Amino acid sequence: MNDDGGTADTMRSAPVLRAGFALSRMSVRELWTAHLALGGMLSRTEIEDTLALRREPSWAEHDVIAAALNDWFTERGQNHPVAYSEDLRDGR
């Protein structure tokens, strides 16, 4: 990971977000809105590009999207399956 919060060259977090999104069955609009509610600043297109693996999010962006997904699961009485950046960086 770069000290500036960028992504690591060898770690891709977009596939983790894509898998969590597929499990959630949320719409892109629902995810985008939930991420905005948590302080995220990505456009809907940037969310779509991340989920389509055309864009790799920064670690900070990853954590906001992961939190939005995990909140969705938690609200439905489920576990929170989407790893946060710290877990990805630690190889967990």
Side-chain angles (χ1 to χ4, degrees):
M1 178 181 131
N2 299 332
D3 290 337
D4 64 0
T7 58
D9 292 335
T10 59
M11 180 56 65
R12 294 190 32 104
S13 71
V16 173
L17 297 173
R18 180 181 179 159
F21 176 71
L23 287 173
S24 75
R25 300 193 179 194
M26 294 174 82
S27 69
V28 173
R29 182 184 181 114
E30 288 171 318
L31 177 57
W32 176 65
T33 302
H35 127 280
L36 289 176
L38 293 173
M41 298 178 61
L42 295 176
S43 69
R44 185 171 169 172
T45 300
E46 288 171 316
I47 294 280
E48 290 170 342
D49 287 347
T50 299
L51 297 174
L53 307 180
R54 293 187 297 261
R55 176 186 185 281
E56 185 63 24
S58 71
W59 290 121
E61 292 167 345
H62 173 94
D63 284 342
V64 174
I65 297 169
L69 288 165
N70 285 331
D71 284 352
W72 188 93
F73 286 108
T74 302
E75 289 169 3
R76 283 150 185 81
Q78 300 174 22
N79 198 355
H80 51 281
V82 183
Y84 292 98
S85 64
E86 181 178 333
D87 295 328
L88 295 175
R89 288 184 295 226
D90 290 345
R92 292 184 229 165

